[in-house]
Amino acid sequence: MSSKPLSADDQFYREYILDHYKNPRNYGRLERPDITHEEDNPLCGDVVGMDFSIKDGVIDDIRFHGRGCAISQASASLLTERLKGMPLDDAKKINKDDVLGELGIEISPARIKCALLSLKVLKVGAYGLAGDDEE
Amino acid sequence: MSSKPLSADDQFYREYILDHYKNPRNYGRLERPDITHEEDNPLCGDVVGMDFSIKDGVIDDIRFHGRGCAISQASASLLTERLKGMPLDDAKKINKDDVLGELGIEISPARIKCALLSLKVLKVGAYGLAGDDEE
Amino acid sequence: MYDVAAVRKDFPIFETGIAYLDSANTSQRPRQVTSAVLDYWERYNSNIHRAAYKIAEEATDRYEATREKVRAFINAASTKEIINTRGTTEAINLVAYAWGRANVRAGDLIVLTILDHHSNIVPWQILAEANGARIEYVDIDERGELRQDQFRELLEQQPRLVAFSQVSNALGTINPVDDMVKRAKAAGATVLVDGAQGAPHQGVDVRALGCDFYAFSGHKMLGPTGAGILYGRRELLEQMDPFMGGGDMIKTVRVEGTTYHDLPWKFEAGTQAIGEVIGLGAAVDYIGELGMENIREHETEITEYAYEALSDIEGLTVYGPPPSRRAGVISFALDGIHPHDLATIADRDQVCLRAGHHCAMPLMTRLGVPATARASFYVYTQKDEVDRLVGSIKEAQRIFK
Amino acid sequence: MYDVAAVRKDFPIFETGIAYLDSANTSQRPRQVTSAVLDYWERYNSNIHRAAYKIAEEATDRYEATREKVRAFINAASTKEIINTRGTTEAINLVAYAWGRANVRAGDLIVLTILDHHSNIVPWQILAEANGARIEYVDIDERGELRQDQFRELLEQQPRLVAFSQVSNALGTINPVDDMVKRAKAAGATVLVDGAQGAPHQGVDVRALGCDFYAFSGHKMLGPTGAGILYGRRELLEQMDPFMGGGDMIKTVRVEGTTYHDLPWKFEAGTQAIGEVIGLGAAVDYIGELGMENIREHETEITEYAYEALSDIEGLTVYGPPPSRRAGVISFALDGIHPHDLATIADRDQVCLRAGHHCAMPLMTRLGVPATARASFYVYTQKDEVDRLVGSIKEAQRIFK
Ligand SMILES: Cc1ncc(COP(=O)(O)O)c(C=O)c1O
Ligand SMILES: Cc1ncc(COP(=O)(O)O)c(C=O)c1O
């Protein structure tokens, strides 16, 4: 099996996704977050929470915590990188396609929820939006 | 269709069954029956009731009433013919096979209940036996 | 032109030579439906919603695709309103338990009709008994049509629930459901429409109709047994507690308590009839290809043909409304010949005819008959089958003359 | 000798090349089962119990023949004790509603276990909430086996109901059901055994076991989806009111009230999953031909083989008891690799592996894990499929190294 050439599924676990999984960026908690929110995906046990520090309408600082599969955690790590320093109004515009695009891999329907869990945290936590529109 | 030769199903409605259906024997009610009992087959709406007059352990007189298909009514008519004058102890021994044998035709599973309704009246009415053993 | 001969080619069972006149009971299933189920069994057989591999993803997708097909078929607002059940009966019981137990109180009035199927009567009798409600039945007139005057009087008593069928399975009466739903809603009632005979033959637009619940069975509309649908208005379904508990209808289960899944899964506990639901999706597709308008036209033609042919027979009484106000169902009686005897004689000619109370005993009692014979039609019925029925009836009359 | 290669030939799906290791979730279905259903569709497709013609008689006979086959399969005293349901979940809910609502009172104790499936937990939570009962859960020890000491203590409190599974679907633990039922009965409890994983793999003799209710699913034992069984002791079933109301479960329906049909039909409202029940009968036949003893032996061999192969892998933890006390189920975890990621990688090799909570969240919470990976086996599983799983695991470890 290990002699197999690089396949679509090795792509699935591309280096930088594994890197974000093993070395998550912005991991941890903020001492005094302006917003803090956590969501879980009970069907697979993935958990992602985010702490936001907001200054003048800009995401001044951000941390995430959680546990789960590589997709959910790498997606959260990638999203925090993108959000840091972003005006809230711009953050509001981030959608599914942005998040999936950033992952840059084909996500099967069964794993979509893992990939989008961090976006749900952003949406529900930061804007109080109903979180079920990706179903 | 009417030119068809006598088939198994014409047999099914043999002359004497039709005769018993159209000219039921012992049809009506007794004035002062010793036993009277009625059963119905709610699934098809067949009803058979019997009045018994018992003297010295013998079925001295009998009448049936009811409505329903040819099978249920002919079977009742045939059974009363047989029961009239029979000692109760002998009547007790009458079983499914006797009744079906007397009809002398092949009864499909769906019609068995029609054919045996009169036997059920006899059993439950005259002996208080549970009536569901033919199921 | 509707090509019934071509349609019949999709139904292998007709090669056995039967004349099938019992479609109101259950329909036949075309190859397109059975091969959809076979495809599931042979290529991607797996459980759904817990998919960790491709074939389970395909099963999940196709299972959920049926939901969308059904949503479109009945024009519901959202797939959240489409709940898979075993059939009409389970759908109605789901409402009677999950909505009824919580919402119907002692003294409340439930309005049903005398021509309804047992499945739309007994669940409400059980509920009424449990919660102390009372039931009134709308009567029929001499044509077998619901007495609208009496219905309106009953509405003045502000019933909590009104439940009736779109089409009577026993008489074929097409009820004026649009008007009845509108009036019942205006009177403040929750309204359930039993679409078991409506969905396959008339179709429905639940949003235009405005009912709260709509129930129907897949097996009466070319789908496999074991799959049917409850439509419920989202708002009501959201408020309701679940019916059955178990796998898949939960978000989290803890010793301390449980949170339930979102709609529609909240009402789908345990492994569902996956293959059958996929088959139902194929049936909806098949009906869509034939076109509901065409189906209706074809059925009307057959029904008029049969109505005339039967009415011509001496000693034959047809129950129910004129053909213009009935669906493809004809209930009738023959002088001096019990329906069962007729069915047995017809069976010899491979004519499949129903005889009995058609699960509508209150109606039979009302009509003063123990049973009727019933012929019912669908997409594949052809005139030749009606002719064979007429032949069997004449044969019976000859035997019983 | 059990010839697994020959068995596999009966399952067309294996021609797709999948290694199917998710049989505890749902099994595959052999040609013998699917062609029995196809035969129904193509030759005698019709509704049952209202038969007025031959094909409906045949459908009725075959539908009822399944009941007798199932009766013999579990050694029930009478077919009156065999009730068709959609599956285990509906069977348990039937008991929770029809027996539980009438018999469980405020303050009563219900004893469940921490390793049960949601379908044997949530219905009782709903019942406990409705009727004010309380629930206690028997814990597991470090081997994943039920703590019998604690079970006995709970029995001293004279629970009204005790419900547990014959075999855990998540860990494969074979519970000592004979002893547990005997003790629970002696303590005066009504006892339900969830046989969803027991019936397909161990079989059961309900009379020897002595439980009051036994539930299982056809789709986990080679049958179609949509058909499962509730066994209930006749005496209890007789006393119970019906669950759902509708067609076929009644004797007479009148405006003034309704009388119910005899057992078992009292509990089968509406058109049943006829084709699926017929398919279940074929599945019982198929299992009978293989022989439950042979099936068990084959599964033990595969399970031991897999247990050893997996235990040899570094960084892999197997949950639950040693192979001698487990059924054909192995739940495990890999250091640093989430079960979902493993399943996705396995899927690339067409290895169908389950990852998740297996509808046993209370157990997952107890084990302190969010999810496990699970491989499960059945009549058709061969060692080659286990080898392919091992390959996928190693591949995952390479990728995540
Ligand atoms: C132990 C156990 N109980 C109950 C169930 C529920 O069975 P079903 O989903 O077929 O209703 C399952 C299967 O998922 C199971 O493994
Ligand atoms: C009008 C009507 N309602 C309800 C039902 C019950 O449907 P099912 O038996 O599929 O649950 C039927 C069919 O028998 C029907 O014709």
Side-chain angles (χ1 to χ4, degrees), chain C residues 298-320:
Chain C
H298 172 69
E299 281 185 32
T300 304
E301 192 185 322
I302 290 285
T303 306
E304 280 170 3
Y305 181 80
Y307 190 88
E308 215 154 293
L310 293 179
S311 303
D312 277 354
I313 297 174
E314 216 175 316
L316 189 150
T317 310
V318 173
Y319 298 103

Side-chain angles (χ1 to χ4, degrees), chain C residues 241 256-258 260, chain D residues 101 104-106 108 110 121-135:
Chain C
D241 280 331
E256 309 83 45
T258 286
Y260 301 122
Chain D
R101 296 274 164 141
V104 172
R105 291 193 194 81
D108 278 358
I110 295 172
I121 293 179
V122 183
W124 309 121
Q125 290 181 330
I126 293 173
L127 170 65
E129 170 96 12
N131 284 20
R134 70 201 167 86
I135 299 179

Side-chain angles (χ1 to χ4, degrees), chain C residues 24-26 85-92 115-120 164-170 194-198 215-220 226-228 354 358-359 374, chain D residues 47 50 246-248 269-272:
Chain C
N25 195 353
T26 195
T85 66
R86 180 169 38 244
T88 307
T89 304
E90 188 186 11
I92 296 175
L115 54 61
D116 264 288
H117 188 279
H118 293 163
S119 291
N120 199 20
F164 51 83
S165 49
Q166 188 176 2
V167 172
S168 153
N169 70 305
D194 171 355
Q197 299 296 337
F216 58 106
S217 300
H219 72 93
K220 291 187 199 285
R354 177 100 185 266
H358 319 297
C359 294
R374 185 188 71 183
Chain D
N47 215 326
R50 317 159 188 181
D248 236 36
T271 300
Q272 298 296 298

Side-chain angles (χ1 to χ4, degrees), chain B residues 4 7 13 22 44 70 111, chain C residues 340-341 344 348-349 399 401:
Chain B
K4 198 183 285 180
S7 73
Y13 291 97
K22 291 183 203 159
C44 57
R111 305 298 300 278
Chain C
H340 275 187
D341 293 319
T344 296
R348 165 189 59 181
D349 304 325
I399 293 174
K401 79 184 160 290

